Amino acid sequence: MTTPNFVACHVQAYLHLYDVTRGLRDGGTFLLNTIWKGEELAKNLPNKVKKYFADHNITVYYIDATKIAQEIGLGNRTNTILQSAFFRITEVIPVDLAVEQMKKFIVKSYGKKGQDVVDKNYAAVDRGGEYAKLDVDPSWSNLPEDAEVKNNDPEFINKLVRPINAQDGDLLKVSDFKGIEDGTWQQSTARYEKRGVATFVPEWIADNCIQCNKCAYVCPHAAIRPFVLDEKEMAGAPIAEGDSLPAIGKTFTGMRFVQAVDVLDCLGCGNCADVCPGKKGEKALVMKPLETQMDVQKEWDYCVNEVSSKQDLVDVKANVKNSQFAMPYFEFSGACSGCGETPYVKLISQLYGDHEMVANATGCSSIYSGSVPSTPYTVNKQGHGPAWGNSLFEDFAEFGLGMFIANEQLRRRLTETMKAATECPSCSQEIHELAQQWLDSADDAVATRAIADKLIPLCEACGCDICKTILDLKHYIVKRSHWIIAGDGASYDIGFGGLDHVLASGKNINVLVVDTEVYSNTGGQASKATPVGAIAKFAASGKRIRKKDLGLIASTYGYVYCAQIAMGADQAQTLKAIREAEAYDGPSLIIAYAPCINHGIKAGMGHSQLEEQKAVECGYWHLWRYNPALEESGQNPFTLDSKTPDWDKFEDFLKGEVRYASLAKQYPAEASELFSAAKANAQWRYNNYRRLAQQQWGVDPEVGNLPK
Amino acid sequence: MTTPNFVACHVQAYLHLYDVTRGLRDGGTFLLNTIWKGEELAKNLPNKVKKYFADHNITVYYIDATKIAQEIGLGNRTNTILQSAFFRITEVIPVDLAVEQMKKFIVKSYGKKGQDVVDKNYAAVDRGGEYAKLDVDPSWSNLPEDAEVKNNDPEFINKLVRPINAQDGDLLKVSDFKGIEDGTWQQSTARYEKRGVATFVPEWIADNCIQCNKCAYVCPHAAIRPFVLDEKEMAGAPIAEGDSLPAIGKTFTGMRFVQAVDVLDCLGCGNCADVCPGKKGEKALVMKPLETQMDVQKEWDYCVNEVSSKQDLVDVKANVKNSQFAMPYFEFSGACSGCGETPYVKLISQLYGDHEMVANATGCSSIYSGSVPSTPYTVNKQGHGPAWGNSLFEDFAEFGLGMFIANEQLRRRLTETMKAATECPSCSQEIHELAQQWLDSADDAVATRAIADKLIPLCEACGCDICKTILDLKHYIVKRSHWIIAGDGASYDIGFGGLDHVLASGKNINVLVVDTEVYSNTGGQASKATPVGAIAKFAASGKRIRKKDLGLIASTYGYVYCAQIAMGADQAQTLKAIREAEAYDGPSLIIAYAPCINHGIKAGMGHSQLEEQKAVECGYWHLWRYNPALEESGQNPFTLDSKTPDWDKFEDFLKGEVRYASLAKQYPAEASELFSAAKANAQWRYNNYRRLAQQQWGVDPEVGNLPK
């Protein structure tokens, strides 16, 4: 349908992003979901749109479906309200009949999820009539063109990314892709989207902030970050003194702390505000309507563009707070609002991003990490950042192993070259020394970065054959941090054979499994990570087989670092596990609990971090680490980090998520049995872990140390 | 080359099996490896061969390469001797040069295996001249045709199997395969081969026998079996009273015991004699040249054809001795002499063969279990026997799951039909009762067999619609025992993802992994089952990653029965594990240690059972069982069956196998490090098992029972 009679725009921001009236017929109808009304709305519409309304005699309606949905308790689900508005405005069938049919389908679609959900959707149908008509002024035909927005953004963004994002990709020529025909894509494109699609965004109240940075740690979109401004930076900042704090920490003496919010990239989940401990019971972050916060965007822009990183003044790996002074190399992804996966991906990028290499399995994590034209992976001011590639469900681990082995092979060649360089007569004494330093610390990311920065210009100046070879291999001078990122579908099921092979290989590769316990991206099918009792596709009456213990399986090798983490339950344990995994000179596997929209968290995805906390408290999820390095020093490699669960809360936890709660509604007879089984399984698993943690170690003369 | 100048026949028995002179040119040369000499040889040659020699003026040489190989210490490896004879007879190149080049290649081929092996092959070259010439009598031209051997064998054997075995398969017509175009193949074909290829076969000395049946238990080819003859059977037997014993056991009172040997199907490995405990230091089995034992074949034939099975007089699952009174449904396979795998496959067939269903992975086990036209799987007198199918390396487990699910689905339909039968007005009271009995014991193999035997004729007589449906489904009345059989390549590596999925499924499927620690059938490539230090393809300088603990991995599910066994180390534990696995109502995984020709056991494959014992004694392999049924009753599911190893014997064990010993020769510097690592890994693994076995269980109030 390229010439519709009716067009509805459900997201106000799209007025500026897309050509929303394209093809709408003369005398047609336009419906806009907006927070504006009447004259204010008219003022905020782009000239292009107003001109089209007037030129083509369009009837324009508007409704604040977002506000209505909030009031009803539907969160940001506006679809039923707008559907109802459509039927009422167009009268394609009699309104009474439309209402009746919509309600019938609501029972069919949501009946299984409980009467509560049905009632809310009924209300949405009823309130779909709360639209108003906008008077179209015929003089709008004479409005000038909207001023073209000038920017200094890279050509790549303006020439390729923006047209594709505006759904004009089919107008691009093949020659526009010259040089990247192989599929290479530039990093840092997501940051130019500035979609402004959140309804509510956090407002930072400096007075209530204790500078813990927990908010930044959990943000799925890296849209809230702490900045530390020195005197000069503070002087030039568009930030009132009262909207900053004296930065806590000896190395920050004399500087100011700002928790800046990128309101145009925020997705409004609210987890930052949810986890904020505040001061004396007062939160330092409060969710406010986006339109009230547009002014702070300039503060964000200033901090990002003009304030230098202070991350070298602290040890960013030391604790949660410090970690957030590190630049995220993963930002503004297209993941769902409140996504449980992306905070882990972001944290890893903060710790290792400038020398990180990622092999990504298919699944949500591949979609939000690299859907052309959006790349959330970014680079620092020196142009260093993660290298990222994506393969299939079934071979993601082998794909990552291939990256590792290619790198290993090239570094082996570099080692030979560096050896030659230490005694090359054409090279300077400085080159000799740097080459030797490299040989002595080739596996130290920080040291090799420093050497690379000094060595490369010297080699360029020298120009001998050996230096030329070093320059050919310059991308491999810095030690890489190898990561494989996958969901539970890929790692527990489809690609498990390969994952096992890679872990068994003994290579220094780190695997992050973001475990949503279900195939998230393909629509919620059951995987071997799905626990007993959960409803998922292919397990419509509740899964009957207990969840696979992927971490424990990997631990049987004895030389694989393994951990189960849940950021929302223990931010420090998450950081520790990632740090230990990366430091361990061998394979590592981290299984990270990740709430997902498929879980149907009743409290909403704005509480996904809190949901992780509840999961661990009630014994649904357990935190542990298996560190082979401990065994090498005669200690038990297994550490159980979870406290004894409060098992009484177990069933309440299940009932707080639609994937379980709906079982009770659909199959009440089986639900109670399956819930009991789920609890018993969780207890069985916890007791296994406890026994492992309590094992006597190193006291038996027969227990030898672990050979490498 | 269809018209050669020279033909050598390396196996005397082939004279009768194949057309060995076909195409040999007039005036050509024939070389025969034989134990006969001169006139005796002339007497034993088939007329057809003699006639050909005379008609075509053939020069005939013979040599007893088998005896020479024995004398040199090359076991049954006659190839170098016969190659040397070839060069000496044909003089295709000067003999001195041929000898020089052969010796050069011996160093190249076997140098890595040690000077000892080189010296033996040098001797083989030198003794290749010990051939003699046979005088060809021109009158042989007038010899009559050999008498056609008449037999009462099935048409399938004579029309299809024998031509294919004689390498005349290309002469068969498509129409000869009518009715089996889908690949179906009749069972029980291997028993008609009677190849007689063993050099030595066991002679049973009744006086020294204690009737323990250990010999039959370990025989890889089911070529030695205990028979119990009642008075009447004994009376008609071609067996001297002194070649039998009074059968031990109350239920055998008045009967005679015979340990019969099938000398024509025996491959002469000698494991039976090796494991024989004998009496007062005198073995009851002694290896003797085949030609001296030809007379006992008639004893075997009588026992197999005329003596009824006495297996119902004992509980065949009770112990090792009794198990051997059960008929093997797997016999005379094409596995190597001394194969470590087939005794396990055979034992399972003895315990469950009449209702067994096997999905076989690709690998040695698929080749020896079903290479057309040989099928070692056989049926009992009622025509009941295992159903067997083979799929690929990478999907064997799924293939077996498919068999299981198809069966489950058909039995579900049968259940509905039986319910209807209990109250069908057309059916007799007896049918009503049998149908009800079936419903009450559908998962009991013995009970359902008895019901089937009674019910099928009744249904045939009744002929109502319900009975017709029962008859349509009659193959599914008896409860099946589902087995998946695979090597370590398929199960540890290529098909592991699928195996994991099948084990996770919770279905009542039993998996036997015959673990040779290497890809046996494709030539000895390293798998994840290959231990540290072993030399294999792709691990030519010794494997550096420790062996994967497949059993422990599977045990993490908690509802998978797992065991590690080694028949040669503990015959009773092997039986117990198989019995428990089959009885457990859920998935089971048994990992069976299986010596292989690829190991290069220096003592020879005739001691493969003893090698298993050594492996366990020194701590190289561990015996254990994980039985979820124990946990259900509050006990520790893990039992360590191995005694504390004698670690001092560990290195000697390694040095007794070429796969390890050759490392010391090729890479002495690395060998000692890798041997230490292998030992340390074995200790690490043993200590893991011991800790698991020592875990406190059931005393903690938090440790709940295992929910199904």
Side-chain angles (χ1 to χ4, degrees):
Chain A
M1 179 83 111
T2 52
T3 55
N5 284 313
F6 177 92
V7 166
C9 177
H10 290 195
V11 179
Q12 178 177 297
Y14 291 172
L15 290 170
H16 297 273
L17 290 174
Y18 307 113
D19 186 358
V20 291
T21 53
R22 181 158 55 186
L24 181 58
R25 292 190 196 174
D26 287 358
T29 306
F30 190 88
L31 169 64
L32 178 66
N33 174 26
T34 175
I35 57 164
W36 294 305
K37 287 188 200 330
E39 269 181 43
E40 199 196 355
L41 170 57
K43 206 179 74 190
N44 277 290
L45 288 174
N47 283 359
K48 188 186 169 192
V49 173
K50 288 200 277 193
K51 211 161 143 26
Y52 196 96
F53 289 162
D55 287 351
H56 296 268
N57 189 28
I58 306 298
T59 308
V60 181
Y61 296 97
Y62 60 91
I63 184 169
D64 192 349
T66 308
K67 191 176 150 209
I68 295 169
Q70 294 278 345
E71 287 169 1
I72 294 174
L74 278 173
N76 53 7
R77 295 183 196 84
T78 56
N79 54 326
T80 306
I81 300 162
L82 289 160
Q83 185 193 46
S84 169
F86 164 77
F87 280 112
R88 291 167 192 277
I89 290 167
T90 60
E91 295 190 356
V92 287
I93 53 173
V95 172
D96 285 352
L97 180 62
V99 168
E100 184 193 318
Q101 288 295 322
M102 280 191 284
K103 291 194 172 175
K104 220 161 130 183
F105 266 82
I106 283 167
V107 173
K108 194 173 168 189
S109 303
Y110 306 122
K112 296 172 183 173
K113 303 196 172 180
Q115 190 56 40
D116 179 45
V117 177
V118 170
D119 288 344
K120 284 175 181 170
N121 278 279
Y122 276 6
V125 170
D126 294 339
R127 296 189 61 182
E130 298 179 11
Y131 51 83
K133 194 169 166 188
L134 178 74
D135 292 328
V136 175
D137 183 344
S139 73
W140 288 352
S141 285
N142 307 320
L143 283 172
E145 297 257 312
D146 296 293
E148 203 188 326
V149 183
K150 285 278 177 195
N151 65 45
N152 293 317
D153 297 341
E155 193 186 330
F156 187 81
I157 299 298
N158 287 321
K159 288 247 170 112
L160 287 180
V161 175
R162 291 229 159 83
I164 294 173
N165 265 336
Q167 307 208 5
D168 287 334
D170 53 343
L171 303 177
L172 293 171
K173 297 184 297 290
V174 171
S175 59
D176 290 332
F177 295 86
K178 196 169 163 58
I180 55 170
E181 299 90 341
D182 62 355
T184 305
W185 202 255
Q186 280 196 21
Q187 283 146 306
S188 315
T189 71
R191 62 166 65 173
Y192 294 99
E193 292 187 335
K194 297 274 175 281
R195 295 189 291 158
V197 291
T199 309
F200 295 94
V201 297
E203 180 181 60
W204 182 53
I205 302 158
D207 285 346
N208 296 338
C209 181
I210 59 169
Q211 301 181 32
C212 67
N213 290 346
K214 281 176 191 264
C215 52
Y217 195 78
V218 304
C219 176
H221 292 84
I224 181 166
R225 304 181 195 173
F227 291 90
V228 175
L229 290 73
D230 62 25
E231 212 165 325
K232 203 174 141 202
E233 287 163 343
M234 193 62 206
I239 301 171
E241 179 88 7
D243 289 339
S244 71
L245 294 168
I248 298 173
K250 215 156 62 177
T251 53
F252 291 154
T253 307
M255 302 186 194
R256 303 291 295 180
F257 175 94
V258 173
Q259 196 66 261
V261 178
D262 179 3
V263 298
L264 291 178
D265 283 310
C266 172
L267 284 190
C269 69
N271 272 293
C272 53
D274 206 39
V275 304
C276 174
K279 199 187 272 175
K280 297 182 190 157
E282 295 292 323
K283 292 267 186 191
L285 292 164
V286 178
M287 298 305 284
K288 293 280 175 67
L290 171 61
E291 64 274 13
T292 67
Q293 300 297 309
M294 293 300 288
D295 276 358
V296 304
Q297 188 67 29
K298 64 178 188 303
E299 300 183 10
W300 169 273
D301 291 342
Y302 179 82
C303 287
V304 166
N305 297 318
E306 309 297 337
V307 174
S308 67
S309 169
K310 305 298 184 299
Q311 70 181 80
D312 292 341
L313 298 180
V314 292
D315 174 2
V316 296
K317 296 190 182 73
N319 54 49
V320 169
K321 174 183 172 171
N322 285 1
S323 72
Q324 294 313 299
F325 292 117
M327 168 185 166
Y329 289 78
F330 178 87
E331 58 181 14
F332 321 136
S333 79
C336 300
S337 174
C339 176
E341 299 185 358
T342 49
Y344 299 112
V345 177
K346 183 192 66 172
L347 177 58
I348 289 168
S349 87
Q350 288 177 296
L351 301 174
Y352 311 106
D354 75 329
H355 58 289
E356 186 182 0
M357 191 167 199
V358 182
N360 213 117
T362 287
C364 274
S365 60
S366 72
I367 305 302
Y368 59 62
S369 292
S371 290
V372 167
S374 285
T375 49
Y377 281 101
T378 185
V379 296
N380 64 16
K381 288 189 170 132
Q382 291 77 45
H384 304 144
W388 183 91
N390 159 232
S391 193
L392 306 170
F393 265 129
E394 65 269 29
D395 70 356
F396 73 97
E398 295 91 326
F399 179 69
L401 181 64
M403 285 183 175
F404 180 91
I405 287 173
N407 195 71
E408 192 179 47
Q409 194 57 32
L410 287 159
R411 293 196 101 217
R412 217 169 272 153
R413 202 185 297 166
L414 187 59
T415 302
E416 293 312 307
T417 313
M418 288 289 192
K419 278 181 192 161
T422 58
E423 40 194 40
C424 169
S426 312
C427 289
S428 65
Q429 182 61 23
E430 216 177 342
I431 292 180
H432 291 174
E433 282 166 14
L434 284 167
Q436 189 56 52
Q437 281 174 30
W438 187 89
L439 289 167
D440 296 340
S441 56
D443 286 341
D444 178 328
V446 176
T448 51
R449 171 71 73 206
I451 293 165
D453 289 347
K454 287 183 213 155
L455 186 61
I456 291 170
L458 291 171
C459 288
E460 282 165 349
C462 173
C464 77
D465 282 351
I466 287 174
C467 282
K468 275 183 194 157
T469 306
I470 291 176
L471 291 172
D472 283 346
L473 296 166
K474 68 179 176 185
H475 289 305
Y476 306 95
I477 297 177
V478 177
K479 172 71 170 67
R480 294 195 181 177
S481 179
H482 287 270
W483 288 84
I484 293 174
I485 297 177
D488 51 284
S491 52
Y492 282 71
D493 285 1
I494 304 182
F496 173 60
L499 175 60
D500 170 74
H501 203 74
V502 170
L503 294 176
S505 76
K507 300 290 187 192
N508 188 3
I509 300 179
N510 310 290
V511 182
L512 172 72
V513 174
V514 278
D515 190 351
T516 62
E517 307 195 313
V518 87
Y519 287 80
S520 297
N521 194 53
T522 49
Q525 292 84 359
S527 77
K528 286 203 284 296
T530 308
V532 164
I535 288 208
K537 282 186 189 154
F538 309 134
S541 60
K543 189 160 177 263
R544 297 196 156 266
I545 292 296
R546 78 176 69 150
K547 184 181 171 85
K548 171 174 178 174
D549 198 338
L550 184 63
L552 197 59
I553 286 174
S555 79
T556 63
Y557 281 102
Y559 54 79
V560 179
Y561 179 94
C562 308
Q564 273 200 182
I565 62 176
M567 176 182 280
D570 190 338
Q571 292 193 349
Q573 193 256 3
T574 289
L575 178 66
K576 192 191 277 183
I578 292 174
R579 206 173 55 206
E580 287 177 350
E582 212 277 342
Y584 176 63
D585 185 17
S588 302
L589 173 70
I590 299 173
I591 303 168
Y593 187 61
C596 171
I597 53 164
N598 280 298
H599 295 178
I601 297 174
K602 288 187 176 172
M605 288 300 283
H607 303 283
S608 53
Q609 292 288 325
L610 184 65
E611 195 75 2
E612 294 180 28
Q613 186 184 326
K614 287 182 183 169
V616 172
E617 275 174 5
C618 78
Y620 180 88
W621 184 265
H622 311 295
L623 308 179
W624 57 266
R625 289 168 294 127
Y626 179 96
N627 190 353
L630 287 178
E631 192 175 20
E632 286 173 41
S633 60
Q635 296 169 69
N636 186 346
F638 191 94
T639 309
L640 179 56
D641 294 319
S642 294
K643 294 199 189 107
T644 304
D646 184 350
W647 297 110
D648 292 340
K649 290 182 176 169
F650 194 88
E651 198 161 329
D652 283 347
F653 173 79
L654 297 187
K655 289 184 174 161
E657 301 196 354
V658 172
R659 59 174 167 158
Y660 290 104
S662 59
L663 185 68
K665 177 134 193 80
Q666 280 177 262
Y667 307 96
E670 288 160 320
S672 116
E673 176 208 331
L674 282 173
F675 286 177
S676 298
K679 186 173 174 180
N681 284 344
Q683 288 175 326
W684 179 82
R685 199 161 161 155
Y686 177 77
N687 287 322
N688 264 356
Y689 292 147
R690 201 170 46 169
R691 272 190 296 271
L692 289 172
Q694 288 169 350
Q695 284 187 339
Q696 289 303 309
W697 219 270
V699 291
D700 191 309
E702 273 193 66
V703 180
N705 282 349
L706 180 74
K708 290 297 283 190
Chain B
M1 180 81 112
T2 53
T3 55
N5 284 312
F6 176 93
V7 165
C9 177
H10 289 195
V11 179
Q12 177 178 300
Y14 291 172
L15 289 171
H16 297 272
L17 290 174
Y18 307 113
D19 185 1
V20 292
T21 53
R22 181 158 55 188
L24 181 57
R25 292 191 198 174
D26 287 357
T29 306
F30 189 89
L31 169 64
L32 178 67
N33 174 25
T34 175
I35 57 163
W36 294 304
K37 286 188 203 329
E39 271 180 41
E40 198 195 356
L41 171 57
K43 207 180 71 189
N44 277 289
L45 288 174
N47 285 359
K48 187 186 169 196
V49 173
K50 288 200 275 194
K51 208 161 140 40
Y52 196 97
F53 288 164
D55 288 351
H56 296 269
N57 190 28
I58 306 298
T59 307
V60 180
Y61 296 96
Y62 61 91
I63 184 169
D64 191 351
T66 308
K67 190 174 150 214
I68 296 170
Q70 294 278 346
E71 287 169 2
I72 294 174
L74 277 173
N76 54 6
R77 293 183 197 86
T78 57
N79 56 323
T80 306
I81 299 163
L82 289 160
Q83 184 193 44
S84 170
F86 163 79
F87 279 114
R88 290 168 195 277
I89 291 166
T90 60
E91 295 190 355
V92 289
I93 54 172
V95 173
D96 286 354
L97 180 61
V99 168
E100 184 192 319
Q101 288 295 323
M102 280 190 286
K103 292 195 173 176
K104 220 162 132 185
F105 266 80
I106 283 166
V107 174
K108 195 174 166 189
S109 302
Y110 306 123
K112 295 172 183 172
K113 301 196 172 179
Q115 190 58 39
D116 180 44
V117 177
V118 169
D119 287 345
K120 285 175 180 169
N121 278 280
Y122 276 6
V125 169
D126 294 339
R127 297 190 60 182
E130 298 179 11
Y131 52 84
K133 197 172 166 184
L134 178 73
D135 292 328
V136 174
D137 183 342
S139 74
W140 289 354
S141 286
N142 308 319
L143 284 170
E145 297 257 313
D146 295 295
E148 204 188 324
V149 184
K150 287 277 175 194
N151 65 45
N152 294 317
D153 296 342
E155 193 187 329
F156 187 81
I157 300 297
N158 287 321
K159 289 247 169 113
L160 287 180
V161 174
R162 291 231 157 83
I164 295 173
N165 265 336
Q167 307 208 5
D168 287 333
D170 52 345
L171 303 177
L172 293 171
K173 299 185 295 292
V174 171
S175 58
D176 291 332
F177 295 87
K178 196 167 162 61
I180 55 170
E181 299 90 341
D182 63 354
T184 305
W185 202 254
Q186 279 195 21
Q187 281 146 310
S188 314
T189 72
R191 63 166 63 174
Y192 295 98
E193 293 187 335
K194 297 275 175 280
R195 295 189 291 159
V197 292
T199 308
F200 295 93
V201 297
E203 180 181 59
W204 182 53
I205 301 158
D207 285 348
N208 297 337
C209 180
I210 58 168
Q211 301 181 33
C212 67
N213 291 345
K214 281 177 193 264
C215 51
Y217 196 78
V218 305
C219 176
H221 292 84
I224 181 166
R225 304 182 195 173
F227 290 91
V228 176
L229 290 71
D230 62 25
E231 214 167 321
K232 203 175 140 200
E233 286 163 345
M234 193 62 205
I239 301 171
E241 178 88 9
D243 288 340
S244 71
L245 293 170
I248 297 172
K250 216 159 53 181
T251 53
F252 292 153
T253 307
M255 302 186 193
R256 304 289 296 179
F257 175 93
V258 173
Q259 194 67 259
V261 179
D262 179 3
V263 299
L264 292 179
D265 283 311
C266 172
L267 283 190
C269 68
N271 273 293
C272 53
D274 207 40
V275 303
C276 175
K279 200 187 274 176
K280 296 180 189 159
E282 295 293 322
K283 292 266 186 192
L285 291 165
V286 179
M287 299 305 284
K288 293 280 173 68
L290 171 61
E291 62 276 13
T292 68
Q293 300 297 308
M294 293 301 287
D295 277 355
V296 304
Q297 186 68 29
K298 63 177 186 307
E299 301 184 11
W300 170 271
D301 291 343
Y302 178 82
C303 288
V304 166
N305 297 318
E306 308 299 337
V307 175
S308 67
S309 169
K310 305 297 183 300
Q311 71 182 79
D312 291 342
L313 298 180
V314 293
D315 175 1
V316 297
K317 296 190 182 74
N319 54 49
V320 169
K321 175 183 171 169
N322 286 2
S323 72
Q324 294 314 298
F325 292 117
M327 167 185 169
Y329 289 80
F330 178 87
E331 58 182 12
F332 320 136
S333 78
C336 300
S337 174
C339 176
E341 299 184 358
T342 49
Y344 299 112
V345 178
K346 184 192 63 170
L347 178 58
I348 289 168
S349 87
Q350 289 177 296
L351 301 174
Y352 311 106
D354 75 330
H355 57 288
E356 186 182 0
M357 191 167 199
V358 183
N360 212 117
T362 287
C364 274
S365 59
S366 73
I367 304 303
Y368 61 62
S369 293
S371 291
V372 167
S374 288
T375 50
Y377 280 102
T378 186
V379 296
N380 63 18
K381 287 186 173 134
Q382 291 76 45
H384 303 143
W388 184 90
N390 160 232
S391 191
L392 306 170
F393 266 129
E394 65 270 28
D395 68 357
F396 74 97
E398 295 91 326
F399 179 68
L401 181 64
M403 285 183 175
F404 179 91
I405 287 173
N407 195 74
E408 192 178 48
Q409 194 58 35
L410 286 159
R411 294 195 102 218
R412 217 169 273 155
R413 205 185 296 166
L414 188 59
T415 302
E416 293 312 308
T417 312
M418 289 288 193
K419 279 183 192 161
T422 58
E423 39 193 42
C424 169
S426 313
C427 291
S428 65
Q429 181 61 23
E430 216 176 342
I431 292 180
H432 291 176
E433 280 166 16
L434 285 166
Q436 188 57 52
Q437 280 174 30
W438 187 89
L439 290 167
D440 295 340
S441 58
D443 286 342
D444 179 330
V446 176
T448 50
R449 170 71 72 205
I451 293 166
D453 289 347
K454 289 183 211 154
L455 185 60
I456 291 170
L458 291 172
C459 287
E460 282 165 349
C462 173
C464 77
D465 282 351
I466 286 174
C467 282
K468 277 183 193 157
T469 307
I470 291 176
L471 291 172
D472 283 346
L473 296 166
K474 69 178 176 185
H475 289 304
Y476 306 94
I477 297 176
V478 177
K479 171 73 168 67
R480 297 196 178 175
S481 178
H482 287 270
W483 288 84
I484 293 174
I485 297 178
D488 51 284
S491 52
Y492 282 71
D493 284 1
I494 303 182
F496 173 61
L499 175 60
D500 170 74
H501 204 72
V502 170
L503 295 176
S505 77
K507 299 290 185 191
N508 188 3
I509 300 179
N510 309 290
V511 182
L512 172 72
V513 174
V514 280
D515 189 353
T516 62
E517 307 195 312
V518 86
Y519 286 80
S520 298
N521 193 54
T522 49
Q525 293 82 0
S527 78
K528 285 203 286 293
T530 307
V532 164
I535 288 206
K537 284 187 186 152
F538 309 134
S541 61
K543 186 154 179 267
R544 297 195 156 268
I545 292 297
R546 76 174 70 151
K547 183 180 171 85
K548 171 173 175 173
D549 198 336
L550 184 63
L552 196 59
I553 286 173
S555 79
T556 63
Y557 282 103
Y559 55 79
V560 179
Y561 179 94
C562 308
Q564 274 200 182
I565 63 177
M567 176 181 280
D570 190 338
Q571 292 192 350
Q573 192 256 1
T574 289
L575 179 66
K576 191 191 279 183
I578 291 174
R579 208 173 50 206
E580 287 177 349
E582 213 278 341
Y584 176 63
D585 185 18
S588 301
L589 174 70
I590 299 174
I591 303 168
Y593 186 59
C596 171
I597 53 165
N598 280 300
H599 295 177
I601 297 174
K602 288 187 176 171
M605 288 301 283
H607 303 283
S608 53
Q609 292 289 325
L610 185 65
E611 195 74 2
E612 293 179 29
Q613 187 185 324
K614 287 182 182 168
V616 172
E617 274 174 7
C618 78
Y620 181 86
W621 184 266
H622 310 295
L623 308 180
W624 58 266
R625 289 168 294 128
Y626 178 96
N627 189 352
L630 288 178
E631 192 175 21
E632 285 171 39
S633 60
Q635 296 168 70
N636 186 346
F638 191 95
T639 309
L640 179 56
D641 294 318
S642 294
K643 294 198 187 106
T644 303
D646 183 351
W647 296 110
D648 291 342
K649 291 182 175 169
F650 194 89
E651 198 162 329
D652 283 347
F653 174 79
L654 296 187
K655 287 182 176 163
E657 301 196 355
V658 172
R659 59 175 167 158
Y660 291 105
S662 59
L663 186 69
K665 178 135 190 80
Q666 282 176 261
Y667 307 96
E670 288 159 322
S672 112
E673 176 207 331
L674 282 173
F675 285 177
S676 300
K679 186 172 173 180
N681 285 344
Q683 290 175 325
W684 179 81
R685 201 160 156 156
Y686 178 77
N687 287 322
N688 266 355
Y689 293 147
R690 201 170 47 170
R691 272 190 296 270
L692 289 172
Q694 289 170 349
Q695 283 186 340
Q696 290 302 310
W697 219 268
V699 293
D700 191 309
E702 272 194 65
V703 180
N705 282 349
L706 180 72
K708 292 292 286 191

